[in-house]
Amino acid sequence: MLPDSAGVWGLSASTNLEAYRALRADRARWLPVALDIARSHGLDVGAPHIFATGTNLVVGLGERLILKIFPPLLRSQFFSERGSLTQLAGRLSLPIPEIVAEGVRDGWPYLVITRLSGTLGSEAWPHLPEQQKERVLRQIGETIASVQRAPLGPLAQIEPRWADFMRAQMQGCGARHERLGLAPKFLDGLDDLLRDAAALIPMDAPPVILTGEYIPENFLLACDDGTWSVAGLFDFGDVRAGWRDYDLLGPSAFMAAGRPGRVRNLLEGFGYARLDYALKRRLMALMLLHHASDLNSHICIERWQERAGDLVELQELIWAE
């Protein structure tokens, strides 16, 4: 007998993050409801695959489809995901998921989307030769620029707006990074950097679509006769509208690793022919202001805490020429 879905979700799991995480970890509580949702759309539930990573409840339905269920406390991710997939449909040369069905079950919105083919970037990236990594980073830069050329449409209404978001991030920046254990030699330069940021980061420029997460976990790669390429992009739950450079931070931190060839290819693919001090300073500020910023966990450069003496040296290390 199918459990009552309202009882499965539970009020606390709808409103409290810790309760939701406990629910998510207990697949026996929610999987029967997920499969019932799939059946209600006439979908095959013979071989479900639960995706353990990510934020929402995600189930693969065979090889073609994915069901993604969003808790009410993360309803904004549903609107971002649905709005982004709708807005970008047919506008990119790169495959993205297509919406097959959508609905709400007891206050929990969901999407059924197509499943892309390819190898998850986080699995393939560590094994790519250096020349292939440079090639992929150029394509990622091109992909970011392509997404940002798409009209915003209803995504322009996502809150908070860019200027409000940046002001809030600036106000909480010092406390956040102190709490996360950033070394004092970097914390000492925060006030100077934030003063520069106020002038370097455009607040009122025409906004573009920002995913905030061009990281290996969110794209697929494919190999054709020894040549690797970006084969798909997914996960648009954190989309916002704002200044274009914000989306360079993920690949800069997780993939470029301070290697000049990788940095150059990423930025040239994006459209920057020249890497000057002002651009490095703006990117350093944005990296500290990113909604998920945690330098100690995210900068993939060996011994960077020892090699950089302050934030100026750190920006030179991350965006090396």
Side-chain angles (χ1 to χ4, degrees), residues 107-176:
W108 291 52
Y110 63 84
L111 294 170
V112 178
I113 57 177
T114 55
R115 189 169 182 173
L116 305 178
S117 60
T119 302
L120 192 62
S122 55
E123 296 176 4
W125 178 257
H127 309 293
L128 266 58
E130 187 62 24
Q131 186 177 7
Q132 296 288 321
K133 289 182 175 179
E134 292 181 0
R135 168 187 167 83
V136 167
L137 275 166
R138 179 174 288 269
Q139 291 182 344
I140 289 174
E142 293 168 350
T143 298
I144 297 171
S146 179
V147 169
Q148 293 183 355
R149 284 193 292 271
L152 275 170
L155 297 175
Q157 306 305 315
I158 290 177
E159 296 287 350
R161 303 298 173 90
W162 177 251
D164 295 334
F165 169 67
M166 275 289 106
R167 279 192 286 267
Q169 293 299 101
M170 289 178 183
Q171 289 173 3
C173 185
R176 174 189 181 89

Side-chain angles (χ1 to χ4, degrees), residues 119-127 215-221 255:
T119 302
L120 192 62
S122 55
E123 296 176 4
W125 178 257
H127 309 293
I215 56 178
E217 290 80 4
N218 289 346
F219 59 79
L220 297 168
L221 299 177
M255 303 174 71

